[in-house]
Amino acid sequence: MLGPSVAWYLALAAFLFTVGALGVLLRRNPLIILLSLELMLNAANLTLIAFARQHGSLDGQIFALAVMAVAASEVVVGLGLVVAMARRNVALDTDRLTTLRG
Amino acid sequence: MTLVIAASASDVLVWIVWAVAGAACLLSAVAVVSFADPFYSALALIGNLASLAVLYLLLSAEFVAAAQVLIYAGAIVVMFLFVIAYIGGRADAPWAGTPSVQTWAAIAAAAAILVEVLVVIGIQAGGGELTTEADISGAFGGPAGIGELFLTDHLLAFEITSIVLLVAAVGGVILGSHARRFDEERER
């Protein structure tokens, strides 16, 4: 394979996942948390595709496409919740969403 | 001799493309996380997705790269932008004030994940596990191979994906319409 070996792609995916995880952990706006989740899913997709290339098998790419479909579903439901929150004039701040806290 | 030089020249070219795409990927990811306004974060995500599509192309995943641009940049990010435009820009002040204990704990946890994964990758790469790739044909990653696998080996996953998408669409509609009923009750 020309260029960097699979290990470089995996390291890049690790950094991308960490940035996404930091976004989920540090940010309080649910929209940004959803966007950071997308970053983490994309990092997982990059590892899947890198390993698919390494093993010369298309199964990893199939898995990555399934992850995309799941990400689309997750965004539909997540954004539906955000819209419902905005219509009820609830603050878009996960720290203040404590109504359901047990 | 010329063949060797040509091979190494394209090798360097791929390294450069990888470095540029990787840097753009990480920078736009940091931008997604750090922008106060979600609108700018969603726009930065487009850059992230585009640079990832370039990386997918380098890994011979042509169909996934195209699907990435179509599904993510074309559908998911546009939906994000619609919702952000609908509920109005609500920029918070994410980095105001001194960092709390929680902030430092989150950074430590994320750094722990990163170090853990990098150590494993380093060990595997040092052992020669990740430095050799399988030989692939030119058709690897094309729509024909992917489509055939979806309709043979992964037919169940394909069908379940369609059901998941249907359930998500119904769920999105229900979440939206329920909120409207709530508004009417409140106005009464």
Side-chain angles (χ1 to χ4, degrees), chain B residues 97-121:
Chain B
T98 51
S100 63
V101 179
Q102 253 183 335
T103 308
W104 290 116
I107 291 171
I113 296 173
L114 179 65
V115 170
E116 201 176 338
V117 175
L118 285 183
V119 164
V120 172
I121 293 170

Side-chain angles (χ1 to χ4, degrees), chain B residues 34-81:
Chain B
S34 53
F35 272 131
D37 192 336
F39 192 81
Y40 292 127
S41 284
L43 289 182
L45 188 67
I46 297 177
N48 184 262
L49 301 169
S51 51
L52 272 170
V54 173
L55 292 173
Y56 293 170
L57 284 179
L58 292 184
L59 288 166
S60 317
E62 288 91 1
F63 181 74
V64 182
Q68 163 98 353
V69 173
L70 281 174
I71 299 176
Y72 264 113
I76 294 183
V77 173
V78 168
M79 198 155 66
F80 262 107
L81 292 176

Side-chain angles (χ1 to χ4, degrees), chain B residues 153-177:
Chain B
D153 289 2
H154 300 282
L155 183 62
L156 185 65
F158 187 61
E159 298 296 341
I160 288 177
T161 299
S162 65
I163 295 173
V164 167
L165 284 171
L166 176 68
V167 170
V170 172
V173 170
I174 287 174
L175 284 169
S177 62

Side-chain angles (χ1 to χ4, degrees), chain A residues 53 56 58, chain B residues 59-60 62 134-142:
Chain A
R53 175 66 189 83
L58 279 176
Chain B
L59 288 166
S60 317
E62 288 91 1
D135 292 327
I136 51 167
S137 71
F140 183 80

Side-chain angles (χ1 to χ4, degrees), chain A residues 23-24 26-38 74-75 77-86 90-97, chain B residues 32 36 38 41 80 83-84 87 90-92:
Chain A
V24 171
L26 293 179
R27 297 303 300 264
R28 304 207 165 82
N29 188 331
L31 282 165
I32 307 247
I33 290 178
L34 280 173
L35 287 168
S36 304
L37 269 174
E38 297 300 318
E74 166 243 314
V75 163
V77 176
L79 288 180
L81 286 170
V82 169
V83 168
M85 281 162 65
V90 177
L92 285 180
D93 185 337
T94 46
D95 274 7
R96 288 163 69 188
L97 283 175
Chain B
V32 169
S41 284
F80 262 107
V83 167
I84 293 165
I87 67 176
R90 299 185 186 196
D92 51 356

Side-chain angles (χ1 to χ4, degrees), chain A residues 58-59 62, chain B residues 142-155 158:
Chain A
L58 279 176
D59 292 346
I62 300 276
Chain B
I146 301 247
E148 194 188 337
L149 272 180
F150 259 135
L151 294 177
T152 53
D153 289 2
H154 300 282
L155 183 62
F158 187 61

